[in-house]
């Protein structure tokens, strides 16, 4: 297998390493400021940064008022610009704020410098001139200036807010630049930059600090990155600016589609750089999915026609250690501790509301559910219990059936009964073994002759009979069958087609992956959704190994393990999220999974997730199960997803309903995805 350091370079996976710097300012000391900029740029280069963002007017410093109109200062600015350009040959792309003269006017501008070139100069479009701001006293606005050039420090470069910068040697490394007040405007210039193709939006800011303003900046940056399906990088002036009338906190942050990737400490008295690996490929893929984005571009007259695209060659970087972005081990599970309870509340109640609405739309009197004592049926049952509470029905409106088969364990069956009794469900037991034996005998199956043959027929006879009983019990009792199968099983095809656990009258778990079901049950316990007796049973169920219990235990007493057959659900849900939701290539999914799972400290998992889930997987293990996932997902299971019953979408991480998120041919194959993985990582073991 190709070593991870050869397949794992971030530039080969559509990732752009951005640095946002807060240098120590020296008031009107242009030479000192230039040295500070270069020092941080070299430091960022050492960390493998592709681009480094500095604050607004950092070359001159921001709070120098009428000194901006002094030729001595502006001459020195131009001289230092020349030195910065000359020194940039082996540095990241530099975004530096400076006052620049053009045609008898002075502009508050961003200099874009790379590879020994002045790529462009972007003037600030909107100048604040209210309360503490007096920028129109010194600067001319850049709004509306298009198609212009500037001669600056011995270089000729495009000038105007109509510029987008794109690396000719790095796909998706495309960025736009705006300055401070621009993104406080009702229609920021970066909106048009995004519509014209920029994936990374950069803001050079000074922005003095007052109480509450940091939250406002964070809100604007997050919202702009989400609305524009982009990354938004922001760097504000900090320590060293004049505090004659204002103070500075040096806030820097990077958002990607609303999520914070990195943020600085504030009010520091030393220079600081933050780093973020922006997934520009993911942003491009999401724009392809989001038709509204293109519709907006069309409604705006396709802004790309009004922008000039400046190309450059991104500097080569050495091996980059680590990854400067959080990679969640459990992408379907709420991760923000501050939002954890609210997100779980929403997920659980989406299921409850869906079930309530479907129940009201039928003439049924009962919920019919098979209760195995396993994870999925447990979750479906507690959702149904809450639905009864919502509807004002006694929980005896739920008819729960435990249906032991040839491998049903006494422990799980006991848990099923304990749970039904604790919830006040009307329970019953139907032993399916006599009927299963008769069916196997009718088919001349070896098991009926006393042979220990536990093949797929043996398994599916049991699964099919259980569902067949449930449908007929629904007919008999005036009810409908609540499905228990989950999103992870649909992805893997780990369900019995037709009259099996694949089918129900309403698949309440079909939008919930296994990892989220585990966490929602834990959330129910933590938030006292039920009584203490029920909580103890739920904890016992969520702690047990996942098993279909269709094959008897082996000679050692080991029970059938689902995850030994299809792989750890933690990895499968990770693969599902990144491949189905984002459309990312398998080699990149392996790269991200390795960063998330290579050691206990590497990945981000939700607060409160149990210690036993804090595992690690090496690259060969990840590769093995990714091969298996790709084969199962693309080759053998789509026909099942094409015929699934109704069920509510729960997570923004993706769903598989053919009426909603996922439409695909049932007779497709996995060769394209397996080949991509093999081409990038070398041949893998044969998939199961």
């Amino acid at each position: 297998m190709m070593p991870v350091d050869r397949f794992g370079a971030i530039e080969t996976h559509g990732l752009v390493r951005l640095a946002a710097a807060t240098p120590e300012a020296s008031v009107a000391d242009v030479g000192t400021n230039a040295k500070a900029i270069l020092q941080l740029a070299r430091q960022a280069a050492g960390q493998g940064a592709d681009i480094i963002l500095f604050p607004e007017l950092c070359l001159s410093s921001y709070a120098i008022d009428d000194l901006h109109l002094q030729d001595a200062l502006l001459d020195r600015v131009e001289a230092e610009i020349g030195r910065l350009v000359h020194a940039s040959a082996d540095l990241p792309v530099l975004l530096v704020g400076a006052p620049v003269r053009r045609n008898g006017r002075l502009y508050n501008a961003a200099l874009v410098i790379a590879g020994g070139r002045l790529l462009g100069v972007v003037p600030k479009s909107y100048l604040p001139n209210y309360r503490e701001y007096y920028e129109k006293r010194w600067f001319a606005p850049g709004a509306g200036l298009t198609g212009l050039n500037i001669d600056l420090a011995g270089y000729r470069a495009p000038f105007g807010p109509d510029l987008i910068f794109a690396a000719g040697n790095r796909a998706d490394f495309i960025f736009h630049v705006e300055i401070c007040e621009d993104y406080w405007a009702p229609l920021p210039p970066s909106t048009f930059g995004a519509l014209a193709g920029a994936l990374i939006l950069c803001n050079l800011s000074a922005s003095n600090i007052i109480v509450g303003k940091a939250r406002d900046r964070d809100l604007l940056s997050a919202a702009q990155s989400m609305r524009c399906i982009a990354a938004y990088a922001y760097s504000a002036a900090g320590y060293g600016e004049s505090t004659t009338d204002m103070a500075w906190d040096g806030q820097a942050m990077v958002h990607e589609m609303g999520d914070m990737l990195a943020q600085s400490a504030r009010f520091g008295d030393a220079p600081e750089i933050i780093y973020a690996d922006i997934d520009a490929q993911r942003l491009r893929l999401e724009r392809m999915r989001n038709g509204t984005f293109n519709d907006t571009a069309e409604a705006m007259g396709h802004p790309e026609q009004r922008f000039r695209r400046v190309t450059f060659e991104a500097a080569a970087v050495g091996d980059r250690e680590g990854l400067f972005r959080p990679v969640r081990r459990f992408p379907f599970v709420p991760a923000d501790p501050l939002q954890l309870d609210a997100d779980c509340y929403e997920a659980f109640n989406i299921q409850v509301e869906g079930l309530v609405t479907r129940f009201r739309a039928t003439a049924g009197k009962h919920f019919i559910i098979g209760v195995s004592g396993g994870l999925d049926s447990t979750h479906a049952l507690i959702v149904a219990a809450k639905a009864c509470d919502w509807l004002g029905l006694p929980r005896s409106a739920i008819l729960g059936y435990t249906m032991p088969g040839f491998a049903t364990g006494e422990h799980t069956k006991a848990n099923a009964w304990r749970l039904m009794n604790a919830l006040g469900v009307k329970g019953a037991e139907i032993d399916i073994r006599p009927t299963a034996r008769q069916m196997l005998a009718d088919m001349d199956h070896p098991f009926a002759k006393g042979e220990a043959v536990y093949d797929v027929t043996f398994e599916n006879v049991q699964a099919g009979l259980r569902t067949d009983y449930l449908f007929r019990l629904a007919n008999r009792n005036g009810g409908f069958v609540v499905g228990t199968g989950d999103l992870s099983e649909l992805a893997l095809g780990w369900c019995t087609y037709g009259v099996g656990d694949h089918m129900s009258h309403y698949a309440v778990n079909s939008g919930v992956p296994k990892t989220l079901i585990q966490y929602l049950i834990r959330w129910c316990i933590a938030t006292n959704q039920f009584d203490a007796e029920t909580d103890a049973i739920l904890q016992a169920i969520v702690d047990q190994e996942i098993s279909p219990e269709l094959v008897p235990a082996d000679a050692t007493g080991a029970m059938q393990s689902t995850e030994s057959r299809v792989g750890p659900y933690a990895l499968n849900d990770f693969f599902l999220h990144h491949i189905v939701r984002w459309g990312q290539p398998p080699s990149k999914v392996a790269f991200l999974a390795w960063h998330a799972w290579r050691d206990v400290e590497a990945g981000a998992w939700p607060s409160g997730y149990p210690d036993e889930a804090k595992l690690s997987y090496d690259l060969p293990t990840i590769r093995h199960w990714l091969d298996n996932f790709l084969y199962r997902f693309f080759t053998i299971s789509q026909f099942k997803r094409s015929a699934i019953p109704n069920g509510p979408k729960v997570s923004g991480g993706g769903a598989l309903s053919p009426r909603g998120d996922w439409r695909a041919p049932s007779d497709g194959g996995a060769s394209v995805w397996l080949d991509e993985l093999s081409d990038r990582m070398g041949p893998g073991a044969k998939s199961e």
Side-chain angles (χ1 to χ4, degrees):
M1 181 179 294
M2 186 176 291
V4 71
D5 61 354
R6 291 179 60 199
F7 97 98
I10 70 166
E11 61 268 20
T12 66
H13 292 296
L15 295 164
V16 176
R17 181 160 295 175
L18 183 142
T22 307
E24 180 180 349
S26 296
V27 177
D29 188 343
V30 181
T32 298
N33 288 335
K35 290 177 183 177
I37 290 166
L38 273 177
Q39 182 179 1
L40 292 178
R42 293 190 179 107
Q43 183 178 330
Q47 290 293 325
D50 295 303
I51 181 171
I52 179 165
L53 170 68
F54 290 95
E56 176 184 14
L57 293 173
C58 61
L59 193 52
S60 60
S61 62
Y62 178 83
I64 60 174
D65 301 337
D66 288 353
L67 300 185
H68 284 303
L69 301 176
Q70 292 287 314
D71 258 1
L73 181 132
L74 298 174
D75 287 344
R76 184 61 183 272
V77 165
E78 290 193 12
E80 295 298 341
I81 290 172
R83 294 187 180 96
L84 287 174
V85 175
H86 179 74
S88 69
D90 58 351
L91 294 176
V93 177
L94 308 180
L95 304 185
V96 178
V100 298
R101 296 172 289 196
R102 184 188 180 279
N103 198 26
R105 298 179 181 88
L106 185 66
Y107 294 92
N108 180 344
L111 312 173
V112 182
I113 301 168
R117 296 169 55 201
L118 179 60
L119 299 180
V121 178
V122 180
K124 188 172 184 176
S125 290
Y126 303 113
L127 303 176
N129 220 61
Y130 51 86
R131 295 194 296 273
E132 64 263 46
Y133 304 110
Y134 293 91
E135 287 194 31
K136 289 183 180 179
R137 179 182 176 98
W138 312 296
F139 302 113
L145 299 178
T146 60
L148 301 176
N149 295 305
I150 187 172
D151 293 302
L152 181 62
Y155 298 91
R156 187 169 180 82
F159 175 87
D162 59 335
L163 303 179
I164 283 180
F165 303 87
N169 59 339
R170 289 277 299 279
D172 303 326
F173 185 3
I174 310 168
F175 64 91
H176 174 271
V177 179
E178 65 185 3
I179 302 173
C180 200
E181 184 76 6
D182 290 345
Y183 96 137
W184 296 84
L187 195 57
S190 57
T191 299
F192 294 99
L195 293 173
L199 295 165
I200 302 169
L201 312 176
C202 301
N203 189 308
L204 296 79
S205 178
S207 189
N208 64 299
I209 185 62
I210 56 175
V211 174
K213 194 173 186 180
R215 291 192 299 271
D216 294 341
R217 297 180 194 136
D218 178 79
L219 177 64
L220 285 173
S221 295
Q224 189 69 347
S225 73
M226 179 176 288
R227 183 177 293 110
C228 292
I229 311 179
Y232 199 92
Y234 179 94
S235 180
Y239 176 73
E241 285 284 356
S242 170
T243 57
T244 299
D245 291 302
M246 295 177 284
W248 317 89
D249 63 334
Q251 185 174 21
M253 54 193 164
V254 183
H255 289 84
E256 182 179 297
M257 287 183 58
D259 293 329
M260 176 80 79
L261 298 186
Q263 59 182 326
S264 65
R266 295 166 55 227
F267 299 107
D269 60 357
E272 183 178 7
I273 307 178
I274 61 170
Y275 298 92
D277 288 327
I278 293 166
D279 194 340
Q281 181 186 48
R282 182 179 81 126
L283 297 171
R284 173 177 52 80
L285 287 167
E286 183 64 3
R287 288 183 183 180
M288 288 169 56
R289 283 173 170 75
N290 190 312
T292 300
F293 187 89
N294 184 67
D295 290 346
T296 304
E298 184 176 7
M300 295 292 103
H302 288 293
E304 64 180 301
Q305 300 178 75
R306 303 192 297 274
F307 274 81
R308 291 175 286 168
R309 183 168 289 215
V310 181
T311 60
F312 64 95
E313 295 298 298
V317 296
D319 292 336
R320 305 191 224 199
E321 295 296 326
L323 191 65
F324 287 101
R325 65 181 288 118
V327 183
R328 292 168 55 189
R329 290 185 163 191
F330 304 98
F332 288 98
V333 177
D336 183 349
L338 298 177
Q339 292 296 319
L340 179 62
D341 182 74
D343 287 353
C344 287
Y345 168 84
E346 284 187 339
F348 189 73
N349 281 283
I350 286 168
Q351 293 183 268
V352 173
E353 195 277 336
L355 188 57
V356 165
T357 299
R358 178 50 53 88
F359 186 84
R360 284 172 171 163
T362 71
K365 301 176 182 177
H366 297 285
F367 299 97
I368 311 297
I369 184 168
V371 184
S372 68
L375 196 69
D376 292 342
S377 67
T378 292
H379 189 63
L381 181 59
I382 60 178
V383 169
K386 283 294 184 180
C388 285
D389 297 346
W390 192 331
L391 289 161
L393 295 174
R395 291 180 181 171
S396 57
I398 302 170
L399 306 184
Y401 295 90
T402 179
M403 292 175 280
F406 298 117
T408 300
E410 289 301 319
H411 178 71
T412 52
K413 188 174 81 168
N415 279 340
W417 271 110
R418 290 172 61 209
L419 183 61
M420 288 190 290
N421 290 334
L423 290 171
V425 168
K426 186 175 182 181
E429 184 171 311
I430 298 174
D431 188 341
I432 66 167
R433 287 172 291 185
T435 308
R437 285 195 183 93
Q438 182 62 54
M439 182 176 287
L440 291 166
D442 291 344
M443 292 187 291
D444 197 28
H445 191 276
F447 179 80
K449 301 173 185 178
E451 299 180 35
V453 176
Y454 307 129
D455 57 8
V456 67
T457 304
F458 176 82
E459 293 188 33
N460 283 346
V461 160
Q462 297 172 78
L465 276 174
R466 286 176 175 133
T467 304
D468 200 14
Y469 269 118
L470 291 173
F471 274 106
R472 303 297 75 80
L473 288 164
N475 297 151
R476 180 75 177 84
N477 293 284
F480 72 91
V481 178
V482 178
T484 60
D486 64 51
L487 183 67
S488 305
E489 294 176 343
L490 285 170
L492 295 163
W494 191 248
C495 50
T496 303
Y497 183 70
V499 182
D501 54 344
H502 166 264
M503 191 51 61
S504 64
H505 289 122
Y506 193 70
V508 75
N509 287 342
S510 62
V512 191
K514 193 79 74 177
T515 50
L516 181 53
I517 284 178
Q518 291 171 317
Y519 202 81
L520 286 174
I521 293 175
R522 293 186 177 96
W523 173 80
C524 286
I525 296 169
T527 57
N528 302 311
Q529 298 296 311
F530 301 97
D531 58 33
E533 180 186 2
T534 303
D535 288 348
I537 302 165
L538 292 176
Q539 188 64 58
I541 290 171
V542 82
D543 287 343
Q544 68 192 10
E545 183 174 6
I546 299 170
S547 172
E549 293 194 335
L550 294 171
V551 173
D554 62 20
T556 68
M559 64 188 296
Q560 185 182 18
S561 169
T562 297
E563 291 183 302
S564 68
R565 288 281 301 277
V566 299
Y569 277 113
L571 287 181
N572 283 320
D573 286 355
F574 188 97
F575 303 153
L576 171 65
H577 173 81
H578 288 280
I579 289 171
V580 175
R581 172 63 184 88
W582 300 112
Q584 295 183 326
S587 63
K588 180 173 180 177
V589 176
F591 168 77
L592 293 173
W594 179 74
H595 276 283
W597 289 96
R598 59 182 171 167
D599 59 60
V600 171
E601 300 301 326
W605 55 77
S607 172
Y609 216 85
D611 288 340
E612 60 268 24
K614 299 176 182 177
L615 305 173
S616 62
Y617 295 105
D618 60 21
L619 188 58
T621 301
I622 291 168
R623 170 66 190 277
H624 170 75
W625 290 119
L626 180 54
D627 273 338
N628 187 68
F629 176 88
L630 295 171
Y631 175 72
R632 295 190 67 93
F633 184 83
F634 288 106
T635 299
I636 68 172
S637 57
Q638 179 56 41
F639 77 99
K640 296 180 181 180
R641 294 189 290 271
S642 296
I644 61 174
N646 297 166
K649 178 178 179 178
V650 173
S651 171
L656 292 173
S657 168
R659 299 166 296 275
D661 283 43
W662 184 255
R663 297 167 179 82
S666 295
D667 47 5
S671 60
V672 167
W673 292 267
L674 291 170
D675 288 349
E676 192 275 344
L677 192 57
S678 180
D679 290 345
R680 294 293 298 277
M681 296 182 64
K686 181 174 170 45
S687 300
E688 293 187 359

